[in-house]
Amino acid sequence: MAKTSSVEKNNRRRKMAKQYAGKRAKLKATIQNKTLPIEERFAAQLKLAELPRNSSKTRIRNRCEVTGRPRAFYRKLKMSRLALREMANLGLIPGMVKSSW
C-alpha cells in the first residue's frame, strides 16, 4: 500500500488539472497562434507560467486504484499488476483465468 499522502497529493493534482484545463488550453492556443503579435503571445506565456505547477496534466502520476502503487500500472484496468493478480486469483475479475502451459 502506498503512502496516503502520496495518493492524496496525486488526487489534488487531478482536481487542479481539471479545474485549470480550460484556462491552460486557451493560453496555449494563444501562444501557438502565429498570426497574433509577439507581445500578446509573450503575455499569454507569462500568464501560463503564473498558473500553479500542479495544474499541469503532466504532473499527474498514474496510480493503482486499489493499492496506490505508482509502477506496473495497467491503464485499461486502472490497477497495478500485483492487485490484478491478487484479484484474479480470488476470482473477483470476471473472465480472467490463471494461465498455465
Side-chain angles (χ1 to χ4, degrees):
M1 194 73 184
K3 286 172 53 175
T4 310
S5 61
S6 300
V7 174
E8 288 302 315
K9 187 187 298 183
N10 202 45
N11 290 340
R12 281 195 306 271
R13 286 178 178 160
R14 283 187 193 280
K15 186 176 160 189
M16 195 176 281
K18 195 174 186 180
Q19 179 183 352
Y20 284 94
K23 194 170 192 176
R24 291 184 78 87
K26 189 176 176 185
L27 287 171
K28 284 187 179 186
T30 305
I31 293 167
Q32 295 295 322
N33 191 352
K34 302 290 183 188
T35 60
L36 295 174
I38 191 80
E39 294 83 14
E40 190 175 332
R41 290 170 50 207
F42 186 67
Q45 199 166 6
L46 291 176
K47 283 184 183 177
L48 183 66
E50 286 176 6
L51 293 178
R53 279 188 178 179
N54 285 338
S55 66
S56 175
K57 196 175 177 186
T58 58
R59 306 250 314 175
I60 298 172
R61 178 80 169 150
N62 286 330
R63 287 185 173 271
C64 175
E65 295 282 320
V66 180
T67 61
R69 181 182 164 90
R71 295 175 188 244
F73 177 82
Y74 290 108
R75 287 176 185 229
K76 192 172 185 178
L77 301 169
K78 295 187 177 179
M79 66 174 67
S80 68
R81 63 180 177 85
L82 301 175
L84 175 69
R85 182 175 180 183
E86 186 63 33
M87 291 178 81
N89 285 339
L90 294 174
L92 298 175
I93 302 175
M96 188 166 284
V97 292
K98 185 177 177 185
S99 176
S100 61
W101 60 92

